[in-house]
Amino acid sequence: MSILVLVRHGQSEWNRDNLFTGWVDSPLTDKGRQEAKDAATEISDVDFGRLFTSTLSRAIETADIITEAIGQPHLPTARAWQINERYYGRLTGLNKAQTIEKHGAEQVKIWRRSFDIPPPGGEALADTAARSIPYFEADIKPHLVDGRNVLVVAHGNSLRSIVMHIEELSREEILEVELPTGHPKRYRFEHSKFEPL
């Protein structure tokens, strides 16, 4: 048996300001750093064998805070663009509330939450899944198979796509899944199956 823990990075400056962030390298806020410390408290009982983060600094800093706080600062680590946040295209940097005012709540909801309709010039969740799930299967899951506990610190949409995959959720079901910043999500991996803890 092994344990998989998924953590969405702590609050970033652009999260705080209600902006579409995507691939922009927005740093953590003080609240985000505290969320990372709180996440560490929740998972301090797990002895990890491997750490995966995206290439974006908000995920890397969150992971650094967590691993330092749990006394495991030297975990073997991989940083992968495949688990970067969804790319928001021409919505990047726009205020979400103002975008709703301009385009309407229904249109913005489609851009943000539909599985396969991307925002202008950006990625749909399906596109994010097309890079994050193969990476999960090829690079992350083998460590779980070998009995190592794994920590993945990434982003709302890349993690949602992984959750969709391992929980075998439908396209409709994943649209209702929200991963708050800094809240660990645990799974037991045993007999080739994932079970939420």
Side-chain angles (χ1 to χ4, degrees), residues 76-175:
T77 301
R79 294 182 178 143
W81 68 268
Q82 291 93 332
I83 55 173
N84 279 5
E85 179 58 291
R86 172 183 173 188
Y87 180 59
Y88 275 106
R90 291 196 289 278
L91 296 186
T92 301
L94 298 180
N95 180 280
K96 293 174 184 176
Q98 292 173 350
T99 305
I100 288 171
E101 287 178 14
K102 182 175 180 180
H103 296 285
E106 191 57 37
Q107 180 61 65
V108 173
K109 183 178 180 182
I110 290 170
W111 285 335
R112 291 189 69 195
R113 286 296 181 218
S114 68
F115 182 74
D116 53 7
I117 300 174
E123 289 184 316
L125 183 59
D127 300 312
T128 308
R131 56 181 164 82
S132 63
I133 292 172
Y135 182 80
F136 178 83
E137 283 292 319
D139 293 79
I140 298 175
K141 188 176 176 181
H143 293 281
L144 296 163
V145 171
D146 288 344
R148 297 182 192 93
N149 297 328
V150 174
L151 173 61
V152 180
V153 183
H155 306 269
N157 286 293
S158 56
L159 293 177
R160 284 172 67 232
S161 63
I162 291 170
V163 167
M164 178 184 180
H165 175 63
I166 64 180
E167 293 191 17
E168 300 178 348
L169 301 178
S170 70
R171 293 181 173 199
E172 292 72 32
E173 289 170 327
I174 194 57
L175 302 183

